[in-house]
Amino acid sequence: MNNYIVKILESFYITHDVKCFIVEKPVGYNFISGQGTEVAINIPFWEKQSRPFTFTCLPDKEYLEFVIKIYKDHNGVTNMLGKTNSGAELIIGNVFGAIQYKG
């Protein structure tokens, strides 16, 4: 499994508990709408705490986008993502998933 370190280009709250992350797209990284990847935060301890998220951008964009519900009452990955902003790094894995948009 390949891992890619990507920088968060933008992060902002859409609602009080839903946050959008726009991150760098590695060269040659391709996906089909409906697929996802494992995401971890590139800081000690959290780099081993990956969780699956689906892409919320179109595959032809020059960036990757995730829209993630933040659970502030849990001491987990989404709570930490809620505290993670532009300039920080995420670790993403290979693309996976069989769900595909068919029109």
Side-chain angles (χ1 to χ4, degrees):
M1 175 169 150
N2 294 326
N3 283 327
Y4 305 88
I5 296 174
V6 294
K7 186 173 287 193
I8 299 173
L9 303 173
E10 291 181 57
S11 67
F12 54 92
Y13 275 92
I14 297 171
T15 68
H16 72 284
D17 64 352
V18 176
K19 193 169 184 179
C20 179
F21 295 89
I22 297 174
V23 304
E24 295 172 326
K25 184 177 187 179
V27 174
Y29 195 87
N30 298 305
F31 67 94
I32 298 170
S33 295
Q35 291 183 310
T37 188
E38 294 279 330
V39 176
I41 305 165
N42 193 24
I43 57 175
F45 175 77
W46 295 102
E47 81 274 13
K48 292 182 174 38
Q49 306 299 316
S50 64
R51 299 293 183 272
F53 295 103
T54 55
F55 304 104
T56 55
C57 59
L58 295 173
D60 63 351
K61 294 295 184 186
E62 295 179 6
Y63 57 84
L64 300 174
E65 179 185 82
F66 301 94
V67 175
I68 299 173
K69 181 164 173 62
I70 305 299
Y71 293 93
K72 294 180 181 178
D73 58 339
H74 295 96
N75 191 22
V77 172
T78 66
N79 182 25
M80 192 63 180
L81 282 168
K83 301 172 187 175
T84 306
N85 296 303
S86 301
E89 293 178 336
L90 301 179
I91 303 168
I92 62 171
N94 291 331
V95 173
F96 66 85
I99 298 172
Q100 294 180 13
Y101 177 72
K102 306 253 184 196

